Every structure is written in C-alpha cells, then in structure tokens.
Amino acid sequence: YLTTLVAGELVSQAERWNAVLVDYWSAPDLAPWLRPSLGATPQVLSYFSELTGARYPWSKYSQSCVDNFRFGGMENITATTLTDVVLSDELGRRDYDAIDLVTHEAAHQWFGNLLTCESWSEIWLNEGFATYMTELYREAVEGVDAFRASMRDVQDSYLAQDRGPQRRPTVWNVYRDPMDLFTTGHAYPGGAARLHLLRFVVGDAAFFRGLARYVADNAASSVDTADLRRAIERESGLDLRRWFEQWLHSAGYPEFALEWGWDPARRVVLVDVEQTQSSEGGTPSVFTLPVDIEVRDETGARTTRVTVDQRRQRFELAATTKPTWVVFDKHGWIPKRLVQQRGLDEWLALAAHDDDVNGRRDALAALGLELERSRDDKLRWRIVEVVVAAASDPSPAVRIAALRAFSGVHTGPE
C-alpha cells in the first residue's frame, strides 16, 4: 500500500536538501504554483529529522499532484501523491495553505513508512502520529497560541465523532473493510489527542526522548502500541500500563462536572469534580490522570497539579481572596467534555485576561450567548467592551471568536 505509479504529461521542479533530491510534479498549467505551494518541504523534513532523532530515511522525496485523486494525500514511500487542488495562486493560498497536508504526509515517511503498524487495528500509530506531528510543526513555526488553538480543534473533531454506535477503543480490530478504521475520528484526531495528553502526563523532556527512542528502537520494523509504551516508559521511568489501557485499549473519554466555592474563613477554594461519563460500551467509569487546576485571585494566578482517580472528589486549594476564576485542566491537555457554571464576571475576566488562547475563546463564546439572550443594556455594554477589545487580540483564533460573539446580536426591531 506504500507503493505508487504516477504517469502522465507532468513537469517537475527540483531542489536538494542535505543531499536528498526533493522534487514536485504537476500538470504543466499548474507548474507555476508548485514551489509557492510546496516549497516548505525541506524545512519540514529538517524539523522532523531533528524531532525524531532520525534523519529523513530515504534517498529522495517526491510529491506528485494529480487530478481526481481519491484522498488529500497518500504517503507512498519517497513519492507522496497529492490532490492537485492544493496548488493555487496567491489569492487561493490565503484561503487554503497546503502546509498541513504537506506536513502530514511528510510525517508519514517516519510514522507509517519507516515504522509501519503491524496490523490495521494499530493504524492510529500511523495517522495519530502524522496528525500530531503536523501540530508540533505548527507549534515550532507559528507559536504556542496557534498550536493550542489548533489542538483544541483537533480534540473537538475527535469528541464529535466518538459517540453513539461509533464509540470504540482506539486500538480496534473489528471492521468489514480497513477503511472503516479511518473514518470514525479515532485514528487521526483521536490518536493525536492521546499523544498530546501523553506529553502532558510524562512531561516534555521524557515525551520527546521517548518519541526518539520509539523511532530508534523500531526503525524498519512493524510496530504496535506496546512498542510505544515501552519507549515512553523507558525514558520517563513511569509505569504507563494503566494509562495505555484506559486511553488506547478502552473506549471513550472522561466527562466532568465542576463546581467551586470559596471558604473565606480558611482562605481556600473548594473544587468539586465529578466524572459523569457512562460506562456503557467499555468506557471506564473512572479515568485516572493528573490535572492542572488554575486559581486566580487578587494576588495572581497559581496552578496546582492534582490527581483525578475517583468518581467524585473535592480538592482544597489556597486562595487569599475570592477567586476571579477557577480553570480545570489549564491549557486543555485532556480530550474531555466539561460542564461548569460560571458567572458573568468570571467569563469577562477570562475573556480579558486569561493567558490561554482557548480560555479566551471559550469565554467569548459564552459572552456571545449572553449578548444574544440579555435585554439588560448596561450588562450588554459591559460585554461589548470586552468583546471589542478581543477583536484586536494577537491570536487570529481569538479574533474570530470575538467576531462570532456578535453573530447573534439583533440591532433591528424585534
């Protein structure tokens, strides 16, 4: 499945990266757009070589752009095939940049080609890694805000698909056709979301050492999920059997309900956490994992790491004054659903001051709903001031959220 033959009246443009031939192919009329659309390829190969600790493993890398292609791309060894709709002029590239597809297929030259899943049931090791490597490249090139915003979108895509009859473990060997395993969200966004969470659980240093160990120990071999676990355990020193069992061999994800209150006499905030997910279909009734909880009061923001390992738990965290906000799972590492009732003042503070791009996005979405519902002009103007300020946020994702917050506002007669 990693072999291809592309034939036609094609033209090519070529360059060299570290003695590796890198060439791009298309129909002649699309040739002017080859390098503008695909020209980041050498930078991508360089980044992945450094990240994995393994230099690009093949003698050349071609990308052939063809019409009527069934997929966006296919990671044939040394000769990726792409749909030619990724090639466009400058105006088109403003709407759609091919870099995510280029990056995803290039990542497969390591994860999928150099290391190939031993059976279709392990396909997440190909697609989850390629999806997450695309996000890691975004983090390196565009910065942490762009990365976190995009990872939230990846998580949301997975959560929307892993429900009802489509709920199943990530590693899964029940299918009529191999393509059945590619279309439910588990392999691509679900796999990437789990790698992102694993990075949080073991820490950056151990995660990236483990990633390099996984590649080094299994190059030119078939792999399964246990191979990844052994590599990460070796570099982190942690026993991850339970984590892998819950997140990769069991179904579903956690659903949390959160409430908090402040005890002024003891100067602590009481955070009540309940896991509400149903255990039907093999979903664990209790997920065990670390969680960062941020409390901000008049003295500033503090993050405390706790362990969630019960159906219902209460955590007591220091707070000199009544908190401005309490954030569960700071920076959103966990693919989850969370129900938390917040007051208007908490949403306004988060929208204006949270250092997490997704915290600001969530707050703006909530404020948009309040703008739509409320008929209190004084309250609405308080919201409008914050939303207008957010429209100049450094993050494009937050600016979009600010504009969307106004989408339900009616200015004409009812």
Side-chain angles (χ1 to χ4, degrees), residues 110 112-118 215-223 227:
W110 286 264
N113 298 4
L114 183 63
L115 288 71
T116 302
C117 61
E118 70 168 14
V215 173
D217 287 352
N218 299 286
S221 300
S222 297
V223 289
D227 293 315

Side-chain angles (χ1 to χ4, degrees), residues 248-289:
L248 291 159
H249 298 287
S250 301
Y253 50 81
E255 300 179 36
F256 295 104
L258 181 77
E259 294 182 354
W260 67 267
W262 183 57
D263 184 340
R266 299 170 55 209
R267 293 189 175 183
V268 296
V269 58
L270 308 174
V271 182
D272 292 317
V273 180
E274 181 180 3
Q275 296 194 42
T276 63
Q277 67 273 7
S278 170
S279 59
E280 293 182 6
T283 300
S285 61
V286 174
F287 281 85
T288 300
L289 71 164

Side-chain angles (χ1 to χ4, degrees), residues 68 73 76 80 92 138 151 160 175 181-182 193 197 205 215 233 244 271 276 295-296 311 331 373 404 410 412:
N68 295 317
N76 319 104
T80 284
R138 189 187 322 280
M151 270 309 305
Y175 54 90
L181 300 177
F182 288 76
L197 176 59
V215 173
E233 285 183 337
F244 272 74
V271 182
T276 63
V295 175
R296 175 168 176 159
R311 190 74 175 178
H331 297 311
R373 291 191 299 253
R404 286 176 175 164
H410 302 285

